[in-house]
Amino acid sequence: MKWQGRRQSSNVEDRRGQGSSGQGIGGFNPMLLRPLVKILFSKVGLFIVGLFLIISLVMGKNPLTLISQFLNGGTLQTESSVPYKSTAKEEELADFSKTVLADTEDIWNKLLDNYREPTLVLFTGSVSSACGSASSSTGPFYCPGDEKLYLDLSFFDDMERQLNAPGDFAQAYVIAHEVGHHIQKITGITDKMQRLRGQVSQTEYNKYSVRLELQADFLAGVWAHYSQQMTSMMESGDLEEALNAANAIGDDRLQKQSSGRVVPDSFTHGTSAQRMRWFKKGFDTGDLSLGDTFSATSL
């Protein structure tokens, strides 16, 4: 895949090394209010408050945060000032992801009127989003609540080592798939899906979820179709890399690998064959009118 030297997107938040916090606003845990009130109204309350105020002035920290840390662990803790250090390989993957995102912006701005560009959040370990907290084990995901794509770059290594789905275009397919979910959000499809939750059985909702995911695969294929026309970014073997990745993350294959059995009613993303078929359909045709998976009689 010929991606080096191309434009990189500026719609990126780099949160690597930050992790996510389970605390309340300002890093203060609301559950500590009760013991804090007891301290404040004790005989030594004024002395303690004064002490923490002095320490907070010296350290430049919120006194409530210091008290929270003290009550949690019995000792004052300072935030780590050690910056996150990434490897050269990780930085290359970050540059690659920004380049692919930029390419999706160029394509979808041409295909859709008033396209609203999503933000890519790079993280390590865990992250907080408008959809809640998630860990790296969740894999890449799109949050419609804040219109952001979340990606721990270590997932690309997992694709190669655990899923046997190597290759830069396989990685590009993953990003393009999440951008597909963003398109579903801005076109109202995601909101329709959310309204279905609670109105149908879990088994029935899973079937709609499969159609949602397959449509995102189709949209990823449409991106690849026009990207190749406009930039000739793809090289020999790239299409096969994407199809192999789609095959590797099919529900049937993943269930077979993890438990040795396949439960179709629990599918939420589609089979390997379905995922490959819809990506290939988008790539071959580039026709958005052919991507209505919700009306398709056969997936």
Side-chain angles (χ1 to χ4, degrees):
M1 183 176 176
K2 296 175 288 189
W3 64 271
Q4 290 90 346
R6 298 183 182 275
R7 181 180 76 86
Q8 296 183 7
S9 175
S10 59
N11 295 314
V12 177
E13 292 180 18
D14 195 337
R15 301 189 200 170
R16 288 178 291 169
Q18 295 182 18
S20 62
S21 172
Q23 294 183 328
I25 298 174
F28 179 69
N29 188 342
M31 296 301 293
L32 296 173
L33 283 175
R34 182 174 295 179
L36 176 59
V37 170
K38 289 183 179 180
I39 290 178
L40 292 177
F41 285 92
S42 68
K43 293 182 180 180
V44 295
L46 290 177
F47 172 77
I48 293 176
V49 170
L51 178 62
F52 276 103
L53 284 174
I54 293 172
I55 295 174
S56 66
L57 288 174
V58 174
M59 299 177 60
K61 294 175 98 32
N62 187 326
L64 289 178
T65 300
L66 292 176
I67 294 173
S68 171
Q69 292 174 344
F70 178 75
L71 293 174
N72 268 325
T75 58
L76 292 178
Q77 300 175 355
T78 59
E79 296 178 2
S80 173
S81 59
V82 179
Y84 175 73
K85 292 184 179 180
S86 62
T87 64
K89 179 181 178 181
E90 185 180 329
E91 284 308 308
E92 183 178 33
L93 287 174
D95 290 341
F96 168 80
S97 301
K98 296 173 187 177
T99 303
V100 173
L101 182 64
D103 195 70
T104 66
E105 293 166 353
D106 294 340
I107 298 303
W108 291 113
N109 272 308
K110 289 183 178 295
L111 295 179
L112 300 177
D113 294 330
N114 301 316
Y115 178 62
R116 193 165 61 243
E117 297 174 355
T119 297
L120 171 65
V121 178
L122 301 178
F123 73 96
T124 52
S126 59
V127 70
S128 294
S129 73
C131 299
S133 297
S135 67
S136 298
S137 60
T138 305
F141 68 95
Y142 171 75
C143 176
D146 54 24
E147 299 189 2
K148 295 180 180 180
L149 291 65
Y150 291 83
L151 171 65
D152 187 327
L153 295 170
S154 65
F155 178 75
F156 292 149
D157 187 57
D158 293 340
M159 285 180 63
E160 180 175 353
R161 295 177 179 272
Q162 299 178 18
L163 299 176
N164 194 27
D168 49 12
F169 203 75
Q171 298 163 356
Y173 154 70
V174 170
I175 296 173
H177 173 91
E178 299 306 331
V179 172
H181 284 310
H182 175 64
I183 293 168
Q184 291 171 325
K185 162 62 179 178
I186 63 179
T187 55
I189 296 172
T190 303
D191 291 337
K192 291 180 181 178
M193 273 288 295
Q194 291 178 340
R195 287 194 290 270
L196 282 174
R197 191 178 292 277
Q199 298 181 11
V200 297
S201 67
Q202 186 61 53
T203 298
E204 190 67 20
Y205 187 82
N206 287 346
K207 294 179 180 178
Y208 282 109
S209 179
V210 166
R211 292 176 182 269
L212 188 77
E213 295 295 334
L214 294 179
Q215 187 178 66
D217 283 332
F218 173 84
L219 293 171
V222 170
W223 159 76
H225 172 93
Y226 287 103
S227 176
Q228 181 62 4
Q229 279 191 0
M230 293 171 57
T231 69
S232 298
M233 190 183 296
M234 294 176 63
E235 297 178 300
S236 175
D238 280 347
L239 177 59
E240 288 74 19
E241 287 180 3
L243 291 173
N244 180 53
N247 176 65
I249 53 179
D251 282 326
D252 53 343
R253 178 169 175 174
L254 291 175
Q255 287 187 1
K256 186 73 173 178
Q257 289 176 338
S258 63
S259 64
R261 54 193 296 265
V262 176
V263 185
D265 284 346
S266 67
F267 288 176
T268 58
H269 287 67
T271 67
S272 294
Q274 289 170 339
R275 302 202 68 168
M276 289 190 292
R277 184 182 306 126
W278 281 96
F279 175 85
K280 188 67 162 47
K281 185 176 184 178
F283 179 79
D284 287 342
T285 67
D287 188 345
L288 287 172
S289 68
L290 299 179
D292 186 2
T293 55
F294 293 91
S295 298
T297 56
S298 176
L299 296 177

